Amino acid sequence: MVDPVRIAVVGGGYGAKVALPAYQELEEFEPVAVWSRRPERAREVAEQAGVELGTSDFEELLAVPGLEAVHVATPVVTHLSFATAAARRGLHVLCEKPLGDTLVEARRIVAAIREAGVVGVVGYELRLKETRQRLIDRAREVLGHPRMVAVSLVQADHADPYSRPYTWVHDATMGGGRLQGYGVHDLDMLLEILPDVEAVAAATEVGVTMRTTGGDELRPVTAEDAYAILLRFRGGGLGVVTLVATARHPRGDLVELHGEGGTVRLDAEERVWWGRAGEDLQCEGPFDSSSSEAFKRLACMFWAAIREGKPPAPSLEEGLRVQAVFDAVRVADVERRWVRPEPATVWP
Amino acid sequence: MVDPVRIAVVGGGYGAKVALPAYQELEEFEPVAVWSRRPERAREVAEQAGVELGTSDFEELLAVPGLEAVHVATPVVTHLSFATAAARRGLHVLCEKPLGDTLVEARRIVAAIREAGVVGVVGYELRLKETRQRLIDRAREVLGHPRMVAVSLVQADHADPYSRPYTWVHDATMGGGRLQGYGVHDLDMLLEILPDVEAVAAATEVGVTMRTTGGDELRPVTAEDAYAILLRFRGGGLGVVTLVATARHPRGDLVELHGEGGTVRLDAEERVWWGRAGEDLQCEGPFDSSSSEAFKRLACMFWAAIREGKPPAPSLEEGLRVQAVFDAVRVADVERRWVRPEPATVWP
Amino acid sequence: MVDPVRIAVVGGGYGAKVALPAYQELEEFEPVAVWSRRPERAREVAEQAGVELGTSDFEELLAVPGLEAVHVATPVVTHLSFATAAARRGLHVLCEKPLGDTLVEARRIVAAIREAGVVGVVGYELRLKETRQRLIDRAREVLGHPRMVAVSLVQADHADPYSRPYTWVHDATMGGGRLQGYGVHDLDMLLEILPDVEAVAAATEVGVTMRTTGGDELRPVTAEDAYAILLRFRGGGLGVVTLVATARHPRGDLVELHGEGGTVRLDAEERVWWGRAGEDLQCEGPFDSSSSEAFKRLACMFWAAIREGKPPAPSLEEGLRVQAVFDAVRVADVERRWVRPEPATVWP
Amino acid sequence: MVDPVRIAVVGGGYGAKVALPAYQELEEFEPVAVWSRRPERAREVAEQAGVELGTSDFEELLAVPGLEAVHVATPVVTHLSFATAAARRGLHVLCEKPLGDTLVEARRIVAAIREAGVVGVVGYELRLKETRQRLIDRAREVLGHPRMVAVSLVQADHADPYSRPYTWVHDATMGGGRLQGYGVHDLDMLLEILPDVEAVAAATEVGVTMRTTGGDELRPVTAEDAYAILLRFRGGGLGVVTLVATARHPRGDLVELHGEGGTVRLDAEERVWWGRAGEDLQCEGPFDSSSSEAFKRLACMFWAAIREGKPPAPSLEEGLRVQAVFDAVRVADVERRWVRPEPATVWP
């Protein structure tokens, strides 16, 4: 019988909708508190989940007796304050991706967690999907030196002003946008295979510029709903990472990896194609591609790091690695130039 | 019964292998001469094709009695001298793509052809494939304001040093590379649909750096075998155009167009998927995707412009339009910055 | 008694609303035809103005017997074709500002007009306002070497989606935007005083991203409604030119010129303040600031160039001068860098 | 009766002329020492002010018994050494703006003050002028999403070589220039309202290149006497901040803020105009705009932070926030490109 970790979920969006149900289902966790900016939302989530405390007072949450861990799932620009406050109270931290709004913020989060000596992991669960796990494994087997790699996502959930109501993810000043929503996951996956990015160029765009608040009003959207990133890998090889969330017709994610040693491809039907140079491509799958299953895997890894001392994963270092490239993408987009990612170390 | 145009083919590569057989097959043409840099190659090609003259003396070719038209299919950096010399002799010109190595060269070619009052067309035959024609038509019907468009080519013919022998297309100083080989065709197709490119960023690479000469020797390759281009369209919308010629496993060409009005997609099985916003995608095809058939269509359009006074197509203006973007891509790649294409006019 | 010039107005917007009434009022002109893209609009305008011909067939307009001059007031991207066609028919041309969508287009227009030997002027009438004339005169008197010059416009007519209906001026691909609407006038005025611009940086923005079509629908706006331009003058001195058309409260135009020799200022009450170093500022005015009066002045200058052989003004050369800076502003904005304007000569 | 803070003033310019008289006037402070680089100037200032110690030996100053706080008002490049030395001695620090010559220096100052656990505030007193306070308040009330904001200063005190004698503020290598003199105040004010700057472009200039030393000699000026800054705000909106100190005729400061929600304007007569969209502008004032009164307010806030534990303001974090943008402006000017400000955190 496992010894459950007493955890609090911070954030009334993804945290309440995806993380909390998973924690309730898993015997490895006992959710004991929920924080949301709005008190009524906090209470509502807590009540529905049968969790004792629903609050918008973070100090109250941190003071819950026996609390061991915190899952920070708030707007990106607020990660720094929530995650560092929790770590300084000696709580283990699962911080949503990206770690911070900038590399500097991410470094401070990592420094605070290290200093506190607690366990820290980053919410890059999408790499734990069966599809992506198999892709990563096969790539490590056969890819070799990269020649061209591409990740292409086509989603329709932002295609018109009424397709999804306005939240902080549509607000650039809150750290919103599809890059923080999906782009960092895709970069994380690529960096698992090809960690050496030499430089990036990028373009982002707001295609649907107004969005419903749920009522009659439309609010201006300032965070990108489409992006295209070029990567040059150190030692050679090109990469392209694109997403459009405003397509009129969605399709499954495509990942294609072409290397000197061979080819690996994830197709829109969740199958993995792979083969070495000179051999035919083989097809495996379809594999499970559920995000919620992937999150449960990540949660169990968090538990194992806390209870069994296993190496935390996805690690803070991996979180910084993505953040460095993400930061470079933001600068590249704003300054309209190629940018070399900074080294993904803590200091500085 | 048609009145055939007496034509000379200039170039012992594509000209001899693809264009000449097509001219022989078509009753609209009577091939009367072939030029190649090497006299023995010129004679060999002429003999095999049953053409009267095979020569490496361009003046001799131009002096063939009754000659009416010239198909310039030489290395890109030589287009300017062959095409302008032919035009000045009053010969109609089919010039291979891209028109020139630079926009300045292309403008001089166009100016010379206009001044001579002869017919000029540019070898952008790939847009005449049934697949691409259907794609272009559907895009004009349903796409509307663009959001994300992507063209992705994966070829394996350059995957290793022995997969294809060294020619001028591997030599950057001769105007070689996959951008001139395929990239310009893809840009031409996109510009048929979305003519307003605001700026481009680009990266090119030589993945297989040595190539067989046919004998024992390996020669260094200097012209790109992979490229990735980002486009921003004026008024909004992003685009990505990529090719890797060194993949270990090829796949069919993919084109995806996502717009405010709807979606159009060409898949690897030569089918076109299309639909308006709010409607399901429909599937048509597979369509014919043969390059040689496409070339025959272009040749017949050249004939019709000469004999029936039809508007020449693909036109010199369209050739300049591609060239302006192609030039911007070259500058963007070398200077590692975003570049706005110059206006695609003749002057300056 | 003056000998009126028989003129045709091309364009159903500014041409019909401002230019045509002025021509009717002035004894120097006899408007004889109107062109609009939509036949019914053309007929409506012609009828209301008592003009014989209202047509959407440009050839029909050019063929009007006795027609002497054409006023091209169509979307910017169409100036080239209308203006050159008219010039080649031997008609005098008043071309709206900016001459073309790009410097290259503008050069071709100027070349066509020169080649035809007809009179050409550019629609920079705002410099002919009494306010701006006085400002320019005083600046030439006292400014000397520039230190800081600023032009600042605050307008409210684009402040919300329903404040002005959608037309081509909201479409970037038609050459729309407030830079073409106002920015070029302000640059023209500055260049009258300080012709040597060394480099520009610029930022543009679409603040109100959707606009009514008049009916229920909102269309996306792609052309800027705000801009800010930095200028460095050759030999020293800085400049700033800004406009926001989406302000909630408008105010009168401000122009401030600070030079080594003195100061000149146009205030929001149409008064000109000026003074030499060491002397107090004097105040003159208020002066007339009517755009329609300014246009009549320009029209009479066009007449004088045609009938009395006076030097055409604002001249084609001045039109190119503005266009070179305008082009640099566009490139600077898109490529996010400083850009040195090209020399404003015709070839190239 | 208040308990006065025993303070030392470091710097024989602004410190001696503005700060010291204020401290003498305020019952919250007891000035006990003055430092100046030149011993005779130090003694002269001390004597005139009736302060015990006037010295050019900083160690001597730090050793004054009972000394509690230091006001660092030396050339910008020396802030780092004075401020950190004082903090390490346990003294509270009021550091003049900008904190340091670069963001790195500023971070080191902030780190030293935090580590020492003393109170630190930054000399951004101009935001405490009644005029600017009212402007900031009204902007927070009505501005909403920004569209165009502008700050424009026109001063005549540097208009000719003899208008003001040469000091370190004319020496770029000492951290001089009008950007450090006024620009940082204006940026500070803007950032109070709109903290999210995405990128800046900038141009600076030395208009009056020689300046009197007080005697016969003229020395070359290397620090800017005019600047123009463009800002893009994250999430949209443009800004322009300009100053010319070499105008022949000065005028009052102008600030204009145009937002989606409304308009706020500070005019040259110290009045504030403000209004929501759809409502008329209201006029308030004139308000007090005295810098010395503003400084006294800041001094009292420093006292309250020391004696009553109130949050220090303007805070070190706000000092870093300005510094990050100021640094970006310097890089943008020198490298002639757009620059995204670094995050304004202490580490790195």
Side-chain angles (χ1 to χ4, degrees):
Chain A
M1 223 188 77
V2 303
D3 176 14
V5 167
R6 289 170 60 85
I7 195 164
V9 169
V10 187
Y14 177 84
K17 290 176 207 146
V18 178
L20 191 54
Y23 290 130
Q24 286 178 301
E25 204 180 303
L26 292 168
E27 57 178 358
E28 282 86 354
F29 288 90
E30 183 190 345
V32 295
V34 172
W35 178 97
S36 178
R37 187 174 46 87
R38 291 174 293 131
E40 66 282 8
R41 172 71 181 151
R43 280 192 297 269
E44 176 197 43
V45 171
E47 200 166 300
Q48 282 173 8
V51 164
E52 213 165 313
L53 177 67
T55 181
S56 61
D57 177 345
F58 193 55
E59 279 306 309
E60 188 185 3
L61 180 139
L62 292 178
V64 167
L67 182 66
E68 296 173 273
V70 159
H71 181 162
V72 177
T74 51
V76 174
V77 292
T78 68
H79 286 182
L80 175 61
S81 54
F82 285 113
T84 54
R88 280 168 194 156
R89 292 286 279 257
L91 300 169
H92 305 297
V93 177
L94 191 174
C95 184
E96 271 312 315
K97 34 50 60 178
L99 271 174
D101 194 37
T102 62
L103 183 54
V104 168
E105 284 186 13
R107 279 173 178 148
R108 294 184 65 195
I109 292 173
V110 173
I113 291 173
R114 284 190 190 166
E115 218 162 283
V118 296
V119 168
V121 303
V122 194
Y124 284 118
E125 80 282 350
L126 293 197
R127 69 154 86 148
L128 302 175
K129 283 180 175 185
E130 274 190 18
T131 43
R132 294 192 165 203
Q133 275 301 301
R134 186 56 60 105
L135 182 91
I136 292 167
D137 289 347
R138 291 306 184 198
R140 286 174 177 165
E141 256 178 87
V142 308
L143 191 65
H145 195 81
R147 287 176 172 178
M148 175 73 75
V149 302
V151 181
S152 162
L153 272 55
V154 176
Q155 305 171 348
D157 60 338
H158 283 74
D160 78 53
Y162 300 94
S163 57
R164 237 185 102 159
Y166 186 96
T167 69
W168 71 266
V169 304
H170 304 106
D171 182 350
T173 67
M174 294 294 283
R178 296 296 83 200
L179 269 169
Q180 67 79 30
Y182 286 85
V184 290
H185 279 300
D186 295 340
L187 293 174
D188 173 64
M189 179 184 63
L190 276 188
L191 292 171
E192 279 284 284
I193 303 165
L194 301 166
D196 282 307
V197 173
E198 184 178 88
V200 298
T204 68
E205 204 169 64
V206 182
V208 175
T209 52
M210 303 295 285
R211 190 157 291 284
T212 182
T213 54
D216 283 351
E217 204 198 346
L218 291 177
R219 285 184 69 171
V221 174
T222 58
E224 80 280 344
D225 53 27
Y227 56 79
I229 304 168
L230 291 191
L231 303 99
R232 295 178 191 264
F233 293 99
R234 207 166 160 182
L238 303 177
V240 184
V241 177
T242 62
L243 176 143
V244 57
T246 58
R248 290 304 188 172
H249 300 87
R251 68 139 165 72
D253 299 353
L254 295 181
V255 183
E256 286 193 283
L257 310 170
H258 301 283
E260 192 184 4
T263 304
V264 187
R265 188 187 301 156
L266 174 63
D267 72 16
E269 282 80 37
E270 322 287 9
R271 296 171 301 184
V272 172
W273 300 76
W274 65 282
R276 286 194 172 74
E279 299 175 359
D280 283 347
L281 288 182
Q282 302 178 43
C283 181
E284 301 175 300
F287 293 102
D288 180 54
S289 183
S290 152
S291 305
S292 55
E293 288 308 306
F295 175 71
K296 286 181 201 160
R297 266 173 227 124
L298 183 141
C300 291
M301 290 161 74
F302 187 37
W303 178 89
I306 296 170
R307 285 288 180 265
E308 303 181 338
K310 295 221 172 131
S315 71
L316 299 172
E317 290 71 25
E318 289 160 356
L320 286 178
R321 184 176 69 179
V322 180
Q323 192 90 39
V325 177
F326 175 58
D327 241 39
V329 166
R330 284 261 177 250
V331 176
D333 179 37
V334 168
E335 301 188 358
R336 297 219 177 159
R337 62 179 180 96
W338 286 86
V339 177
R340 191 176 77 145
E342 275 191 44
T345 48
V346 178
W347 300 121
Chain B
M1 225 189 76
V2 304
D3 176 16
V5 167
R6 290 170 59 87
I7 195 165
V9 169
V10 187
Y14 176 86
K17 290 175 209 148
V18 178
L20 190 53
Y23 290 129
Q24 286 178 304
E25 204 179 303
L26 292 167
E27 57 178 355
E28 282 85 354
F29 288 91
E30 182 189 345
V32 296
V34 172
W35 178 97
S36 176
R37 186 173 48 86
R38 289 173 294 131
E40 64 283 8
R41 172 68 181 151
R43 280 191 298 270
E44 176 196 42
V45 171
E47 200 166 304
Q48 281 172 8
V51 164
E52 215 166 312
L53 176 67
T55 180
S56 61
D57 177 345
F58 193 56
E59 278 305 309
E60 188 184 3
L61 180 138
L62 292 178
V64 166
L67 181 67
E68 294 173 273
V70 159
H71 181 162
V72 177
T74 51
V76 174
V77 292
T78 68
H79 286 181
L80 176 60
S81 53
F82 286 114
T84 54
R88 280 169 194 154
R89 294 286 279 258
L91 300 170
H92 305 298
V93 177
L94 192 174
C95 183
E96 272 311 317
K97 31 51 57 180
L99 271 174
D101 195 35
T102 62
L103 183 55
V104 168
E105 283 186 14
R107 280 176 178 145
R108 293 181 62 192
I109 291 172
V110 173
I113 292 174
R114 283 191 189 164
E115 217 163 285
V118 296
V119 168
V121 302
V122 193
Y124 284 119
E125 80 281 352
L126 293 198
R127 70 154 87 149
L128 302 175
K129 283 180 174 186
E130 273 190 19
T131 43
R132 296 192 162 203
Q133 274 301 299
R134 186 56 61 106
L135 182 91
I136 292 167
D137 288 348
R138 290 306 185 199
R140 287 175 177 165
E141 255 177 271
V142 306
L143 192 64
H145 196 80
R147 287 175 173 178
M148 176 74 75
V149 302
V151 181
S152 162
L153 274 55
V154 175
Q155 305 171 348
D157 60 336
H158 284 74
D160 77 53
Y162 300 94
S163 58
R164 231 182 106 160
Y166 186 97
T167 69
W168 71 268
V169 303
H170 304 105
D171 182 351
T173 65
M174 294 294 281
R178 295 297 83 198
L179 268 170
Q180 66 80 30
Y182 286 84
V184 289
H185 278 301
D186 294 340
L187 293 174
D188 172 64
M189 179 185 60
L190 276 187
L191 292 171
E192 280 282 284
I193 303 166
L194 301 166
D196 281 304
V197 174
E198 184 178 88
V200 298
T204 67
E205 203 169 65
V206 182
V208 174
T209 52
M210 302 296 286
R211 191 157 291 284
T212 182
T213 53
D216 284 351
E217 203 197 349
L218 289 177
R219 285 183 71 170
V221 174
T222 57
E224 80 281 343
D225 53 28
Y227 57 78
I229 304 168
L230 291 191
L231 303 100
R232 293 182 193 263
F233 292 99
R234 196 171 171 180
L238 303 177
V240 184
V241 177
T242 62
L243 176 144
V244 54
T246 59
R248 289 306 188 172
H249 301 86
R251 67 138 167 73
D253 300 352
L254 294 182
V255 183
E256 284 193 283
L257 311 170
H258 300 283
E260 192 186 3
T263 304
V264 186
R265 191 185 298 154
L266 175 63
D267 73 14
E269 282 78 39
E270 323 287 10
R271 295 171 303 183
V272 172
W273 300 76
W274 65 283
R276 287 195 172 76
E279 301 175 357
D280 284 346
L281 289 181
Q282 304 178 43
C283 181
E284 301 174 300
F287 294 101
D288 180 55
S289 183
S290 151
S291 304
S292 55
E293 287 308 306
F295 175 71
K296 285 181 201 162
R297 264 175 229 123
L298 184 141
C300 290
M301 289 160 75
F302 187 38
W303 179 89
I306 297 170
R307 284 288 181 264
E308 304 181 338
K310 295 219 172 133
S315 71
L316 299 172
E317 289 71 25
E318 290 160 355
L320 286 178
R321 184 176 69 178
V322 180
Q323 191 91 39
V325 178
F326 175 58
D327 242 39
V329 166
R330 285 261 177 251
V331 175
D333 178 37
V334 168
E335 301 188 2
R336 300 221 173 164
R337 61 178 181 96
W338 286 86
V339 178
R340 190 178 79 148
E342 275 191 44
T345 47
V346 176
W347 302 113
Chain C
M1 225 188 76
V2 304
D3 176 16
V5 167
R6 291 169 60 86
I7 195 164
V9 169
V10 187
Y14 176 84
K17 290 174 208 150
V18 178
L20 190 53
Y23 290 130
Q24 285 177 302
E25 204 178 303
L26 292 167
E27 58 178 353
E28 282 86 354
F29 288 91
E30 182 190 346
V32 295
V34 172
W35 179 98
S36 177
R37 187 173 47 85
R38 289 174 295 130
E40 66 282 8
R41 171 72 180 149
R43 279 191 298 268
E44 177 197 40
V45 171
E47 201 165 303
Q48 281 172 8
V51 164
E52 213 166 313
L53 177 67
T55 180
S56 62
D57 176 346
F58 193 57
E59 279 304 310
E60 188 185 2
L61 181 138
L62 292 178
V64 166
L67 181 68
E68 295 173 89
V70 159
H71 181 162
V72 177
T74 51
V76 175
V77 292
T78 68
H79 285 181
L80 175 60
S81 54
F82 285 113
T84 54
R88 281 171 194 152
R89 293 285 280 257
L91 300 169
H92 304 297
V93 177
L94 191 174
C95 184
E96 273 310 316
K97 34 48 58 182
L99 270 175
D101 194 36
T102 62
L103 182 55
V104 168
E105 283 185 15
R107 280 172 178 149
R108 293 183 66 196
I109 291 172
V110 174
I113 291 173
R114 284 190 189 166
E115 216 162 287
V118 295
V119 168
V121 303
V122 193
Y124 284 118
E125 81 281 352
L126 294 196
R127 69 154 87 149
L128 302 176
K129 284 180 175 185
E130 274 190 18
T131 43
R132 296 193 164 201
Q133 275 301 300
R134 186 57 60 105
L135 182 91
I136 292 167
D137 289 347
R138 291 304 185 199
R140 287 176 176 162
E141 257 176 87
V142 307
L143 191 65
H145 195 81
R147 286 177 173 178
M148 175 74 74
V149 302
V151 181
S152 162
L153 273 54
V154 175
Q155 306 171 346
D157 59 337
H158 284 73
D160 77 52
Y162 300 93
S163 57
R164 231 183 105 159
Y166 187 96
T167 69
W168 71 266
V169 302
H170 304 106
D171 182 350
T173 65
M174 293 296 282
R178 296 295 83 198
L179 269 170
Q180 68 80 29
Y182 286 84
V184 290
H185 279 300
D186 295 339
L187 293 173
D188 173 62
M189 179 185 61
L190 276 187
L191 293 170
E192 279 284 284
I193 302 165
L194 302 165
D196 280 306
V197 174
E198 183 179 87
V200 297
T204 68
E205 204 169 63
V206 181
V208 174
T209 52
M210 304 293 286
R211 193 156 288 285
T212 183
T213 54
D216 284 351
E217 204 198 346
L218 290 177
R219 284 183 73 169
V221 174
T222 58
E224 80 281 342
D225 53 28
Y227 56 78
I229 305 169
L230 292 191
L231 304 100
R232 295 179 191 265
F233 292 99
R234 207 166 161 182
L238 302 178
V240 184
V241 177
T242 61
L243 176 143
V244 57
T246 60
R248 290 304 188 171
H249 301 87
R251 69 138 165 71
D253 300 352
L254 294 182
V255 183
E256 285 193 283
L257 310 170
H258 301 282
E260 193 183 4
T263 304
V264 186
R265 190 186 299 156
L266 175 62
D267 73 15
E269 282 77 40
E270 323 287 10
R271 295 171 302 183
V272 171
W273 300 77
W274 64 283
R276 288 197 171 73
E279 301 175 358
D280 284 347
L281 288 181
Q282 304 178 45
C283 179
E284 302 175 298
F287 294 102
D288 180 56
S289 185
S290 150
S291 304
S292 55
E293 288 308 306
F295 175 70
K296 284 182 204 160
R297 267 174 227 122
L298 184 141
C300 291
M301 290 161 75
F302 187 38
W303 179 89
I306 295 170
R307 284 287 180 266
E308 305 181 338
K310 294 219 173 132
S315 72
L316 300 172
E317 290 70 27
E318 289 160 355
L320 286 178
R321 185 175 67 179
V322 180
Q323 191 91 38
V325 177
F326 175 57
D327 240 40
V329 166
R330 284 259 176 253
V331 175
D333 179 38
V334 167
E335 302 188 357
R336 296 220 178 158
R337 61 178 181 95
W338 286 87
V339 177
R340 190 176 79 145
E342 276 190 44
T345 47
V346 178
W347 300 123
Chain D
M1 225 191 77
V2 306
D3 176 15
V5 167
R6 290 169 60 85
I7 195 164
V9 169
V10 188
Y14 176 84
K17 291 175 210 149
V18 178
L20 191 53
Y23 290 130
Q24 286 177 301
E25 202 178 307
L26 292 168
E27 57 177 356
E28 283 86 353
F29 288 91
E30 182 189 346
V32 296
V34 172
W35 178 96
S36 176
R37 186 171 48 85
R38 290 174 292 131
E40 66 284 9
R41 171 72 180 149
R43 279 191 299 270
E44 174 197 41
V45 171
E47 199 165 305
Q48 282 173 8
V51 164
E52 214 165 312
L53 178 66
T55 180
S56 63
D57 177 346
F58 192 56
E59 278 305 310
E60 188 185 3
L61 179 139
L62 292 178
V64 167
L67 182 66
E68 296 174 90
V70 158
H71 181 161
V72 177
T74 51
V76 175
V77 293
T78 68
H79 286 182
L80 176 59
S81 54
F82 286 113
T84 54
R88 281 170 193 150
R89 292 286 279 257
L91 300 170
H92 306 297
V93 177
L94 192 173
C95 184
E96 272 311 316
K97 35 51 53 181
L99 272 174
D101 195 35
T102 62
L103 183 55
V104 168
E105 284 185 14
R107 280 176 178 147
R108 293 181 62 195
I109 292 172
V110 173
I113 291 174
R114 284 191 189 166
E115 220 162 283
V118 296
V119 168
V121 302
V122 193
Y124 284 119
E125 81 282 350
L126 294 197
R127 70 154 87 147
L128 302 175
K129 283 180 175 185
E130 274 191 18
T131 43
R132 294 192 166 203
Q133 275 300 299
R134 187 56 61 105
L135 182 90
I136 292 167
D137 289 347
R138 290 305 184 199
R140 286 175 178 164
E141 257 177 87
V142 307
L143 191 65
H145 195 82
R147 288 176 173 178
M148 175 73 76
V149 302
V151 181
S152 162
L153 274 53
V154 175
Q155 305 170 347
D157 60 337
H158 283 75
D160 78 51
Y162 300 93
S163 57
R164 233 183 104 158
Y166 187 97
T167 70
W168 71 266
V169 304
H170 305 106
D171 182 351
T173 66
M174 294 296 281
R178 295 297 85 198
L179 268 170
Q180 68 78 32
Y182 287 84
V184 290
H185 279 300
D186 294 339
L187 293 173
D188 173 63
M189 179 185 60
L190 275 188
L191 292 171
E192 280 283 283
I193 303 164
L194 302 166
D196 282 304
V197 174
E198 185 178 86
V200 299
T204 68
E205 203 169 64
V206 182
V208 174
T209 52
M210 302 297 286
R211 190 157 291 284
T212 181
T213 55
D216 285 351
E217 202 196 350
L218 290 177
R219 285 183 71 171
V221 175
T222 57
E224 80 280 344
D225 53 28
Y227 56 79
I229 305 170
L230 291 191
L231 303 100
R232 294 181 191 264
F233 293 99
R234 196 171 169 181
L238 303 177
V240 184
V241 177
T242 61
L243 176 143
V244 57
T246 59
R248 290 304 188 173
H249 301 87
R251 68 137 165 74
D253 300 352
L254 294 181
V255 183
E256 285 193 282
L257 310 170
H258 300 283
E260 192 186 4
T263 304
V264 187
R265 190 186 299 157
L266 175 62
D267 73 14
E269 281 80 39
E270 323 287 8
R271 295 171 302 182
V272 171
W273 300 76
W274 64 283
R276 288 195 172 76
E279 301 175 357
D280 282 347
L281 288 181
Q282 303 178 45
C283 180
E284 300 174 300
F287 295 101
D288 181 55
S289 184
S290 150
S291 303
S292 54
E293 287 308 306
F295 175 70
K296 286 182 203 161
R297 267 175 227 122
L298 184 141
C300 291
M301 290 161 74
F302 186 37
W303 177 88
I306 296 170
R307 284 289 181 263
E308 305 182 337
K310 295 222 172 130
S315 71
L316 300 172
E317 290 70 25
E318 290 160 355
L320 286 177
R321 184 176 67 177
V322 180
Q323 192 90 39
V325 178
F326 175 58
D327 240 40
V329 166
R330 284 260 178 252
V331 175
D333 178 37
V334 169
E335 300 189 0
R336 301 221 173 162
R337 61 177 180 96
W338 286 87
V339 178
R340 190 178 79 145
E342 274 191 45
T345 47
V346 177
W347 303 113

